[in-house]
Every structure is written in structure tokens, then in C-alpha cells.
Amino acid sequence: MSEQRTSIHGQWTNRTVFILAATGSAVGLGNIWKFPYITGENGGGTFVIVYLLCIALIGLPIMMAEIMLGRRGKQSPINTMIALAKDENRNPHWMWLGWMGVVAGFLILSYYSVIAGWAMSYVFRTGGGMFIGVTADGANRIFTDLVSDPERLLAWHSIFMVMTMIVVARGVKNGLEKAVTLLMPLLFGLLLLIVIYSMTTGYFMDGVRFLFTPGSIDGKGILIAMGHAFFTLSLGMGAIMVYGSYLSEDHSIVQASILIALADTVVALLAGLAIFPIVFANGLEPGAGPGLIFQTLPIAFGHMEGGTLLGVLFFTLLMFAAWTSAISLIEPAVAYLVENKGFNRIYASVWIGGLTWFVGLGTVFSFNIWADKTLSIPFLFEDLTFFDTLDYLTANIMLPLGGLFIAIFAAWVMSERSAKEELATYPKVYSVWRFLVRYITPVAVIVVFLKAVGAI
Ligand code: PHE
């Protein structure tokens, strides 16, 4: 057995805090902003089914693997991979897996922060009564006005980045617990209220049908669904690994993973059920793109009793959910700088945050002055803006690739004895996990990749 390591960054006070923190990382813009709009763009039904299958067969086993690796390595993902590879007498090049995660997290946060800025600005738009009695056209105009103004986007993006840097500088373990225990249930309750509103639109069943009736899907759609399973569970880039490194040995990884994945999935489905009935009731386009929730939810808030207050609460909570995800996106990088470069947390957060902020300018501009500047990569995608390109490369390529190597490491490189020490509290679940992560998960990821580029 490897020597028992301890984390220099401290550890979670108990298992509940870990589950809350990881749920805070998982539940975010991915569930409420991204899931509905990519579901809309990819035709609903089949896309949702593929996404759910990916959560169960790929996401869940990889989440267990990622927490396990983090807990054994007890360091930032880069150093964890070096340490674990050494334990098994393998090549330290496994650290590149950690590096890819650091880069992915950094790129994701650069655009995530801009979208979180939209949520913040909507707190004020809703609070100012802008949506009272609003029509679909009106809501659309208000959204377009926002994103076509780079200065506004820049201001909100900057505020959100500073907020993120402050929490990361103080250490992710401080304050996260309270934030998540209070906010998650509230967010959940509010989503339920919007779903109830959606039931009154007369189009609820159209929404349900759109979300769950199978239709057709192509290779690219499957890749996007799989990429989203990684994105929404915060997998493949070391966020969950670094959170796992602050977890003590006596807690069940299996139970925690199931709870986190379940909470995450329920929030996404509720968001879908809230949004699509409003889309159909107002003759909107499900494939409207990244603005979808900002063009639909205000209509609900503008027409329901107490809508202004609910709207303010909703966008505030969405901002908080984004915040608890954002901090996990740069924690691997910050932990690494603290471990290897002797930076203190404040210095490390300012560096990483500042750099992320800068790259975020590209996303700010891609909704206005760079809106017609697009990029194509043969076999992968065509005509994507800066923002869409970053999103595509990170969510659909880097995260699944990271996940693939995490699965390979956990199932093929790490000795069975080590894996058993971490996960064998439920022998049956352990066998299923091992089978999935050894065969099903890696093969599924590779097949989806090949299918997306048209190789099969
Ligand atoms: N899971 C977060 C969300 O759904 C985003 C995220 C991705 C966070 C990867 C950390 C790592 O919003």
C-alpha cells in the first residue's frame, strides 16, 4: 500500500461538506443555461436520452474514479498524477493529464464568467421591472441590447472574476458550506415554481414531448451530449479530483458520487421542464442558442404573480450557482502554484484569475464586435465564434479526453488492490464500477469521438 498522504491545503470538515462542495461545482450554468439551449439546438428527445445514458455509464464511473485518484494523491491534479504514477512504478508523464485539466478549467472559466455576468445583469433588469408584461419580442430585444454592448459585458465579467478570485484566494473550504446548504435548496424550490408556472401555459405537454420523445440525432449531436455529461458533472479536468484530494479516507465515494450526479441531473431536467413550455407557448425557437433562458424566463417572470421578486431571486441564485462552479474551475491551477511555485493563495488566485479575465475578453467580443469572425476546424466544426470554439474544444474534446485517461489510469494502470481499498465498501457496486470503467467507458468515449468525425 502507498504511504498515507495528507493534503497541505487542509481537508473538508466532514463528508456532507464535500458532497455540498462537489454539488456546488456540478450544479451551475451547465444545468440551467447550457442544458436547455443545447437540447434545443439538437432537437430534444434523443439528445436528452443520450445525455442521460452518458451520465449513468460514463459520468458516474468517471466521477468515482476522479474522486478516488484525488483522495489517494492528496495534491493538485498535476502532482496527484505524478505521485500515483510513481506508486505504480509508471511514467510521470501522466502529469500531462493534470496539465490538460488545468488548461481546460482556465479556458472554461474565461467564458463561464461572461455568461455568469449575464445572470448578474438580469438580477437588475428584472428588479427594475423591465420584464413586467413583456412580450417575446421585448425579451428578445432586451437580451440583444445586453450582448451587443461590450462595455456592459466587460463590466459584469470583471465583477464576476473578482468575486471568484476572492473566494479562491481565501481557500475554497471557507464559506462554501453555508453558501451551498442554503442556496441549493432555494434554487431547487424556485425552479419548481417556474415549472408550475409552465404547467399553466397550456404548453406543458409540448415541452415534455420535446424533451423526452425520441427523434433523430447525428454523430455531432452524440458528441455534444457526451461532452455535456462531462461538463455538467465537472468531470475530466481535475475539479472533482482536487475536491477529492481534500476528502478524508473514511467516507464512501460511491454514495457521494451517486448523490452528486442525481442532484445535478434533477436540476437540469427541471430547468428543461421550466423552459420549453414557455418556448412553445410564445412561439419561440428551441434552437435559439445561448440566449435561450434569457429570452424565455423573463416572460414567465413578467407574467406571474410576484414575478419580479421571484425573478430577482432566481437570477441571484443562478449567479451563486455559477460562482460555486467557477471557483472549482481554477482551484486545480491555484493548488498547483501553491504546491510547486511557493505562491500564497492570494497571489496564485490573482495570477490565474487575471489571465482568465484576459482570455474572457474574446468571449465578450464574440457576441458583438467579433460576432462575424468565425473559425472552422476540418472534421470537427465549422463557422464557430470565439466563444463557441472555446466551448466546443473544452466541453466536447478536452473534458472527454481527460475523462478517458482518468478511466484508463484508474482501471488499467492503478493496481486492483489500490482501487479496492478506495471503493470496495460495496463489493457489488465495485464490480460494476470496475467493469464499466475498464471496458464500457473508454470504448464509449472513443466510439463517440470516431462517430463525430465521421470515421465510423
Ligand atoms: N459543472 C459546471 C456547470 O454545470 C461547470 C464546470 C465544468 C465546473 C467543469 C467545473 C469543471 O455549470
Side-chain angles (χ1 to χ4, degrees):
M1 191 188 139
S2 68
E3 86 279 20
Q4 202 64 276
R5 298 185 176 90
T6 47
S7 167
I8 61 162
H9 311 281
Q11 64 181 37
W12 307 110
T13 37
N14 58 51
R15 187 183 77 125
T16 317
V17 181
F18 165 73
I19 294 180
L20 287 172
T23 310
S25 166
V27 175
L29 294 173
N31 307 61
I32 294 170
W33 158 74
K34 193 172 177 191
F35 173 71
Y37 96 73
I38 57 175
T39 298
E41 284 181 339
N42 289 284
T46 310
F47 181 83
V48 176
I49 294 165
V50 175
Y51 152 78
L52 292 173
L53 277 175
C54 289
I55 293 278
L57 297 178
I58 302 178
L60 198 52
I62 291 185
M63 179 175 287
M64 294 180 196
E66 210 175 315
I67 300 175
M68 168 179 93
L69 298 186
R71 183 162 79 174
R72 265 189 110 68
K74 289 273 187 304
Q75 298 157 70
S76 69
I78 297 172
N79 289 323
T80 282
M81 290 317 298
I82 297 178
L84 296 182
K86 263 204 201 126
D87 285 352
E88 312 292 343
N89 292 322
R90 297 299 175 110
N91 194 314
H93 282 324
W94 278 98
M95 74 174 174
W96 293 111
L97 174 55
W99 274 109
M100 183 170 70
V102 163
V103 175
F106 161 85
L107 294 178
I108 293 174
L109 183 57
S110 79
Y111 68 80
Y112 203 84
S113 164
V114 177
I115 313 294
W118 297 358
M120 288 206 271
S121 94
Y122 265 61
V123 172
F124 295 92
R125 278 152 200 262
T126 318
M130 262 173 122
F131 297 119
I132 296 170
V134 78
T135 58
D137 273 349
N140 186 16
R141 204 165 32 217
I142 292 170
F143 176 73
T144 315
D145 278 350
L146 171 69
V147 296
S148 53
D149 181 349
E151 281 170 28
R152 258 171 213 275
L153 296 190
L154 183 61
W156 288 115
H157 164 54
S158 310
I159 295 172
F160 187 80
M161 271 319 299
V162 171
M163 285 167 46
T164 305
M165 276 145 66
I166 291 174
V167 181
V168 179
R170 294 181 56 211
V172 291
K173 287 175 291 307
N174 305 329
L176 205 59
E177 182 181 2
K178 270 180 240 106
V180 183
T181 12
L182 187 75
L183 300 172
M184 284 293 151
L186 261 177
L187 182 66
F188 198 80
L190 267 183
L191 270 177
L192 268 181
L193 273 182
I194 309 174
V195 173
I196 293 170
Y197 167 83
S198 287
M199 287 175 176
T200 67
T201 57
Y203 284 80
F204 190 68
M205 285 323 287
D206 296 64
V208 172
R209 235 172 279 129
F210 181 75
L211 277 171
F212 299 111
T213 313
S216 65
I217 194 166
D218 61 2
K220 290 238 160 57
I222 297 177
L223 177 66
I224 295 172
M226 178 179 78
H228 188 63
F230 282 94
F231 184 91
T232 191
L233 294 177
S234 307
L235 295 176
M237 54 69 61
I240 290 293
M241 197 186 289
V242 83
Y243 276 14
S245 75
Y246 309 146
L247 181 66
S248 71
E249 322 307 315
D250 42 355
H251 302 310
S252 157
I253 291 178
V254 172
Q255 250 184 14
S257 306
I258 293 174
L259 278 173
I260 299 161
L262 207 65
D264 188 80
T265 309
V266 171
V267 172
L269 292 179
L270 279 181
L273 286 175
I275 284 154
F276 285 106
I278 306 176
V279 169
F280 297 121
N282 291 280
L284 296 165
E285 194 39 64
L292 188 66
I293 68 159
F294 296 96
Q295 288 158 320
T296 47
L297 292 181
I299 304 176
F301 296 133
H303 291 90
M304 66 186 174
E305 202 64 47
T308 300
L309 181 67
L310 283 180
V312 167
L313 247 173
F314 177 82
F315 287 115
T316 309
L317 289 170
L318 182 58
M319 184 264 300
F320 272 107
W323 199 8
T324 55
S325 301
I327 58 184
S328 72
L329 280 162
I330 48 170
E331 178 63 14
V334 169
Y336 173 76
L337 287 182
V338 171
E339 286 163 9
N340 283 43
K341 305 283 169 207
F343 285 22
N344 64 30
R345 289 194 68 96
I346 301 179
Y347 197 54
S349 313
V350 169
W351 258 107
I352 306 281
L355 225 61
T356 312
W357 174 86
F358 182 73
V359 178
L361 298 183
T363 294
V364 163
F365 298 144
S366 68
F367 292 100
N368 34 71
I369 49 183
W370 289 356
D372 53 1
K373 300 216 176 343
T374 57
L375 225 100
S376 305
I377 294 191
F379 299 110
L380 285 180
F381 55 78
E382 272 166 33
D383 287 336
L384 296 187
T385 61
F386 183 88
F387 154 72
D388 287 319
T389 306
L390 272 194
D391 177 44
Y392 198 98
L393 286 179
T394 51
N396 302 338
I397 313 241
M398 294 173 90
L399 299 186
L401 210 56
L404 173 64
F405 283 106
I406 287 170
I408 293 176
F409 191 91
W412 294 95
V413 176
M414 205 160 152
S415 69
E416 162 117 58
R417 207 188 47 208
S418 313
K420 265 199 172 141
E421 270 171 27
E422 300 289 335
L423 293 177
T425 34
Y426 303 92
K428 281 225 180 70
V429 180
Y430 175 79
S431 320
V432 176
W433 171 81
R434 181 129 179 116
F435 177 74
L436 285 175
V437 91
R438 252 178 117 84
Y439 305 104
I440 306 297
T441 308
V443 171
V445 173
I446 293 170
V447 167
V448 173
F449 272 146
L450 291 178
K451 198 156 172 51
V453 296
I456 50 173

